[in-house]
Amino acid sequence: GAVVSQHPSRVICKSGTSVKIECRSLDFQATTMFWYRQFPKQSLMLMATSNEGSKATYEQGVEKDKFLINHASLTLSTLTVTSAHPEDSSFYICSASGQGVTEAFFGQGTRLTVV
Amino acid sequence: GENVEQHPSTLSVQEGDSAVIKCTYSDSASNYFPWYKQELGKGSQLIIDIRSNVGEKKDQRIAVTLNKTAKHFSLHITETQPEDSAVYFCAARDSWGKLQFGAGTQVVVTP
């Protein structure tokens, strides 16, 4: 199946700093990227959907100025958590779908801990 | 938008018995239904999926059934083993490709 690579897998940052998470589709053109967040013992919750070259569409309750999403190419999308706070500590997972693939493939996930 | 409900939230089974997890969805346009397994501290792994033009799919000990009319789909694990212990998530994908997940089922297989 198609491969989606997400980095970093783990990151610890200080409160107030920003963290960038990368999601790459390695063998297909990802026209659409989805970003999910999962808090402990909860389900994955969709944060935003981004189409290549367009502004991301955010789900209700997700602050677009805090979670910056860039999808400037067909193989790369980034999620930047700006001015991170401890309550942003979570598991972030990207998913990509696009040309030549019939389903969305997930990255490995990034565990963010804000101290 | 799509709304996915998953039951039960926890499921404890004896090793060798079968486990069944059920999900319902609300959007009749949804056309793809994957199931994910998540072990502690790891990302979600796709274990099986089914499309709306198929009623049943099987892969070794795992099977998924889909009832489009009733808008529900189920995961069946037979001959459960301790390594099947994990959290399982169902999901439904709408026509835009957006996945909505169920709340998850914690499966515990006891020896």
Side-chain angles (χ1 to χ4, degrees), chain A residues 5-103:
Chain A
S5 178
Q6 184 174 343
H7 294 280
S9 57
R10 291 178 179 272
V11 59
I12 301 173
C13 70
K14 290 185 178 180
S15 185
T17 61
S18 295
V19 174
K20 181 184 283 188
I21 302 170
E22 291 189 350
C23 184
R24 294 180 184 273
S25 58
L26 300 184
D27 53 2
F28 70 101
Q29 293 184 322
T31 51
T32 305
M33 291 271 198
F34 304 92
W35 286 94
Y36 296 83
R37 178 171 56 183
Q38 185 180 32
F39 291 108
K41 297 185 179 181
Q42 294 186 26
S43 186
L44 292 97
M45 299 297 295
L46 181 65
M47 298 175 65
T49 303
S50 72
N51 293 303
E52 185 265 338
S54 303
K55 288 185 178 180
T57 302
Y58 290 80
E59 296 298 302
Q60 192 173 9
V62 179
E63 300 175 58
K64 63 179 181 180
D65 294 329
K66 181 172 183 61
F67 299 99
L68 302 179
I69 292 173
N70 184 288
H71 190 176
S73 80
L74 286 171
T75 59
L76 175 65
S77 177
T78 61
L79 167 68
T80 301
V81 182
T82 62
S83 187
H85 289 98
E87 56 265 31
D88 298 324
S89 298
S90 186
F91 196 59
Y92 294 85
I93 305 176
C94 69
S95 163
S97 67
Q99 298 172 4
V101 295
T102 55
E103 56 214 49

Side-chain angles (χ1 to χ4, degrees), chain A residues 10 32 34 36 38 41-46 49 57 59 91 93 95 97 101-109 111, chain B residues 6 32 34 36 38 40-44 46 49 51 87 89-90 93-94 96-104 106:
Chain A
R10 291 178 179 272
T32 305
F34 304 92
Y36 296 83
Q38 185 180 32
K41 297 185 179 181
Q42 294 186 26
S43 186
L44 292 97
M45 299 297 295
L46 181 65
T49 303
T57 302
E59 296 298 302
F91 196 59
I93 305 176
S95 163
S97 67
V101 295
T102 55
E103 56 214 49
F105 292 90
F106 281 86
Q108 302 92 325
R111 184 164 300 284
Chain B
Q6 182 171 348
Y32 174 67
Y36 295 90
Q38 188 175 53
L40 193 64
K42 298 182 181 179
S44 294
L46 177 70
D49 56 18
R51 302 184 193 285
V87 178
F89 293 97
C90 66
R93 185 182 69 183
D94 63 22
W96 296 100
K98 193 184 294 186
L99 278 175
Q100 295 292 348
F101 287 83
Q106 173 81 59

Side-chain angles (χ1 to χ4, degrees), chain B residues 81-95:
Chain B
Q81 300 169 5
E83 52 264 39
D84 295 328
S85 296
V87 178
Y88 292 82
F89 293 97
C90 66
R93 185 182 69 183
D94 63 22
S95 54

Side-chain angles (χ1 to χ4, degrees), chain B:
Chain B
E2 178 65 275
N3 181 45
V4 178
E5 294 191 358
Q6 182 171 348
H7 300 280
S9 57
T10 58
L11 180 60
S12 183
V13 295
Q14 286 279 107
E15 182 177 357
D17 289 348
S18 296
V20 180
I21 304 170
K22 297 181 180 179
C23 287
T24 61
Y25 61 100
S26 60
D27 186 353
S28 57
S30 292
N31 55 18
Y32 174 67
F33 307 91
W35 285 88
Y36 295 90
K37 177 182 181 181
Q38 188 175 53
E39 295 173 88
L40 193 64
K42 298 182 181 179
S44 294
Q45 177 190 5
L46 177 70
I47 55 172
I48 196 167
D49 56 18
I50 192 167
R51 302 184 193 285
S52 58
N53 59 346
V54 175
E56 184 174 359
K57 184 177 179 181
K58 190 174 182 180
D59 182 5
Q60 298 182 343
R61 295 186 297 108
I62 296 173
V64 58
T65 58
L66 171 65
N67 184 326
K68 283 186 61 181
T69 303
K71 289 189 282 188
H72 67 70
F73 55 112
S74 300
L75 177 72
H76 304 254
I77 307 174
T78 58
E79 300 173 27
T80 54
Q81 300 169 5
E83 52 264 39
D84 295 328
S85 296
V87 178
Y88 292 82
F89 293 97
C90 66
R93 185 182 69 183
D94 63 22
S95 54
W96 296 100
K98 193 184 294 186
L99 278 175
Q100 295 292 348
F101 287 83
T105 298
Q106 173 81 59
V107 174
V108 177
V109 180
T110 54

